[in-house]
Amino acid sequence: MALTFQKVHPCFAAEVSPIDLRGVHDPATLAEIRAAMDEYAVLVFPSQPFTDAEQLAFAQRLDGELHTKTGARVLVKSRLSNEAVADISNLDEAGGIMKSADRRRMYSLGNRLWHTDASFQDPPGRYSMLSAKIVPSVGGDTEFADMRAAYDALDPEMKVRLEGLRVHHSIAHSRQTLGFEFSADEAEALKGAIHPLVRTLPRSNRRSLYVAAHASRIVDWPVPEGRLLLRDLIEHATQREFVYRHAWRVGDLVIWDNRATMHRATPFDDATHRRELHRVTTLDL
Ligand code: SIN
């Protein structure tokens, strides 16, 4: 089926014409979606009433193996059906709103930092697919930054400086910057992974900055010097010209490429409003 893509930002991100992804099995349409991911890096599919099982099956059809080693699983068993479905919500097992001091809430506040999913694993995350079940009437949007456009805009001297650098990513690091504390066992289970700071994306051959809140240090550099450079790059990449803000509607499925983007949640009144989204991430094998 031929799809149409309506750009929603000058650099990247597009909304796709009506299609029910639950029924998409043919290789040609799946290939068209992958090609559009290479170009736009973020795709918005409205009106996708996925169950978790349907979302998992679609993610596998589109991109293969799933990421199951989430950071959250080290803290607590998920209330959802499968460890491959990340619970992006402020809800407890009974569907009630979590208490403000709930440790799971404190941990998930880390999603408000610019991040890439599963960069703390090897292999890291490739595509993430977030399905909106319940959205607050105000706030709780998700922002995406185009890390390819951010790389392109660097001056030539900086591009040379970044060549060959490697970065350690750790979800414990991003949470610790907010003051979240891990037990020794949790920290041991979340030791992190090392990835290149600049990645070349297969097929498009575009180069992309691979940094985010999980980036704890540049390998072989003094830690403060590395963190300052990482901070400067995140500031550069999150200038408004590189950022698309998605206002959720129930039923939206948004797919993004974690190699080409960073994202973050924006605040909402989580003491009185529910927000529930289910995320599935594939592995960048
Ligand atoms: C995430 O997928 O990392 C969470 C983003 C959000 O809550 O908006």
Side-chain angles (χ1 to χ4, degrees):
M1 173 190 280
L3 301 171
T4 57
F5 300 91
Q6 181 74 42
K7 265 184 110 170
V8 291
H9 183 278
C11 298
F12 71 133
E15 181 158 322
V16 190
S17 53
I19 182 172
D20 186 343
L21 293 172
R22 296 173 304 176
V24 171
H25 289 78
D26 62 299
T29 308
L30 292 167
E32 195 179 354
I33 295 171
R34 287 182 210 112
M37 287 299 295
D38 290 342
E39 182 172 354
Y40 300 109
V42 177
L43 291 178
V44 177
F45 293 87
S47 306
Q48 304 296 326
F50 279 119
T51 62
D52 286 350
E54 289 165 340
Q55 190 180 348
L56 287 165
F58 172 72
Q60 286 169 298
R61 287 200 297 281
L62 182 66
D63 201 41
E65 208 168 312
L66 304 177
H67 159 64
T68 52
K69 295 182 185 159
T70 61
R73 86 189 190 291
V74 170
L75 270 67
V76 69
K77 187 167 161 36
S78 171
R79 72 189 175 99
L80 300 181
S81 53
N82 187 310
E83 290 295 346
V85 184
D87 181 17
I88 309 294
S89 82
N90 61 330
L91 306 181
D92 60 24
E93 296 76 8
I97 293 178
M98 282 177 199
K99 302 258 182 308
S100 69
D102 191 307
R103 195 162 182 253
R104 292 167 296 185
R105 174 173 177 272
M106 293 299 140
Y107 180 84
S108 68
L109 286 176
N111 286 337
R112 299 255 299 273
L113 304 173
W114 286 106
H115 63 287
T116 51
D117 292 329
S119 65
F120 51 89
Q121 294 288 352
D122 192 6
R126 186 159 51 208
Y127 295 162
S128 283
M129 306 171 204
L130 193 50
S131 167
K133 313 292 181 197
I134 304 172
V135 299
S137 48
V138 178
D141 299 346
T142 302
E143 291 188 317
F144 298 91
D146 184 344
M147 305 303 276
R148 306 161 307 170
Y151 177 83
D152 292 346
L154 292 172
D155 60 44
E157 294 75 24
M158 180 59 92
K159 288 180 181 166
V160 170
R161 190 171 175 219
L162 300 183
E163 214 46 54
L165 295 182
R166 294 179 310 135
V167 175
H168 176 257
H169 294 247
S170 148
I171 197 163
H173 169 73
S174 60
R175 269 54 188 171
Q176 281 160 344
T177 60
L178 294 180
F180 188 91
E181 289 173 7
F182 293 90
S183 69
D185 285 351
E186 289 167 347
E188 177 62 25
L190 295 170
K191 278 207 294 235
I194 291 173
H195 301 293
L197 195 156
V198 177
R199 302 183 64 169
T200 304
L201 303 175
R203 301 195 295 254
S204 73
N205 274 331
R206 289 193 70 180
R207 308 209 79 199
S208 182
L209 285 173
Y210 197 57
V211 295
H214 305 324
S216 71
R217 61 189 160 83
I218 297 181
V219 175
D220 296 332
W221 277 34
V223 173
E225 197 178 358
R227 285 196 183 160
L228 280 174
L229 178 58
L230 293 167
R231 185 183 287 213
D232 286 348
L233 292 172
I234 292 171
E235 269 179 29
H236 162 77
T238 54
Q239 295 174 86
R240 298 324 293 177
E241 68 204 86
F242 304 129
V243 172
Y244 163 64
R245 183 177 180 118
H246 185 67
W248 291 97
R249 301 154 295 194
V250 170
D252 279 352
L253 181 85
V254 176
I255 310 180
W256 63 88
D257 186 336
N258 287 292
R259 302 165 303 177
T261 59
M262 289 192 301
H263 62 285
R264 69 171 177 183
T266 65
F268 71 103
D269 177 2
D270 70 348
T272 56
H273 287 74
R274 289 176 162 72
R275 180 176 188 264
E276 178 174 12
L277 303 98
H278 293 189
R279 196 191 66 219
V280 175
T281 299
T282 58
L283 287 179
D284 187 24
L285 292 169

